[in-house]
Amino acid sequence: MVENPVVHIVDDDEAVRQSLAFMLSSAGLAVRLYDSAKAFLDGLEAVQCGCLITDVRMPEITGIELLHCLKERAPCLPAIVITGHGDVPLAVEAMKAGAVDFIEKPFDEQAILDAVKAALERTEGVPDGDFAAVTARLHSLSERERQVLEGLVAGQPNKVIAAALGISPRTVEVYRANLMAKMEAKSLSELIRMAILAHVPIAGDAPK
């Protein structure tokens, strides 16, 4: 973990900013608040190490666009995305843009604290052991579980995956629960991060 980390909160909703600031300050963390992605980027050179919490839907520059900017300008600042309009396609987009976690509003206080702790402990790069472990878990999936995973990585909701595979949405939910357990993923964002790490192909893509 970096020394004296700062949690940078970017959200155009003042109530959300203040709520997060109170929650994190009460946990002993230093916070900095920004009412827009532009305000954050304008002061990026002076930003202290730590992590970023950003909303997705903001005027001018969205949270996803902010993550793309940070890939070039601050690749070592891990980002957590929060949204009140959470869905699978948006989660996939956020993870591919570099988010280390994805949390829906209204968020659980412990979920935020756990996500921030994990982000602050995150080191640059991915250890070989992690890649090997993820690959081994992927090999344990059945063909149908793998197909459901590819659909999730493509950002498809259960209904679309079910139609493509000729099964019911309820059956997709069962396969999804099974593959979450086999991949040892505690959340959708963690599952997607593993899949992106292991270069799982996107359902519907033509083979190269």
Side-chain angles (χ1 to χ4, degrees):
M1 185 182 290
V2 297
E3 189 175 351
N4 301 319
V6 174
V7 181
H8 303 276
I9 301 170
V10 181
D11 199 308
D12 61 323
D13 186 328
E14 183 178 2
V16 172
R17 291 197 306 273
Q18 295 300 331
S19 174
L20 285 169
F22 177 77
M23 180 193 308
L24 295 168
S25 297
S26 297
L29 292 163
V31 298
R32 296 288 183 276
L33 307 182
Y34 310 83
D35 61 7
S36 69
K38 183 179 185 303
F40 177 74
L41 290 172
D42 284 347
L44 189 58
E45 289 184 6
V47 163
Q48 295 168 266
C49 291
C51 73
L52 169 70
I53 298 178
T54 180
D55 193 14
V56 168
R57 299 178 188 270
M58 297 185 291
E60 296 185 26
I61 301 173
T62 68
I64 300 293
E65 290 168 339
L66 174 58
L67 293 182
H68 285 300
C69 291
L70 293 180
K71 267 190 175 181
E72 299 295 327
R73 298 176 58 183
C76 297
L77 191 67
I80 298 163
V81 170
I82 56 174
T83 178
H85 306 272
D87 57 11
V88 173
L90 197 56
V92 173
E93 189 177 356
M95 301 305 291
K96 287 186 175 179
V100 298
D101 213 335
F102 181 93
I103 299 174
E104 294 181 45
K105 301 175 189 174
F107 38 74
D108 176 73
E109 179 174 340
Q110 194 58 49
I112 289 286
L113 293 174
D114 288 346
V116 167
K117 180 182 178 183
L120 293 175
E121 291 176 346
R122 185 180 176 87
T123 55
E124 189 177 358
V126 179
D128 291 340
D130 285 0
F131 182 82
V134 170
T135 301
R137 292 171 199 162
L138 279 172
H139 285 317
S140 74
L141 300 181
S142 68
E143 181 180 358
R144 188 64 91 194
E145 289 164 350
R146 179 68 180 239
Q147 290 170 333
V148 170
L149 176 59
E150 290 174 8
L152 290 173
V153 175
Q156 297 172 349
N158 289 353
K159 200 168 6 178
V160 173
I161 297 172
L165 299 179
I167 56 181
S168 72
R170 174 60 187 149
T171 303
V172 171
E173 289 178 15
V174 172
Y175 282 122
R176 181 167 161 172
N178 288 345
L179 71 90
M180 289 278 286
K182 287 185 177 180
M183 294 298 294
E184 299 179 25
K186 299 180 182 67
S187 64
L188 176 61
S189 61
E190 186 176 357
L191 178 68
I192 292 171
R193 185 163 59 246
M194 289 180 188
I196 293 171
L197 166 65
H199 307 293
V200 169
I202 296 176
D205 278 3
K208 297 181 181 179

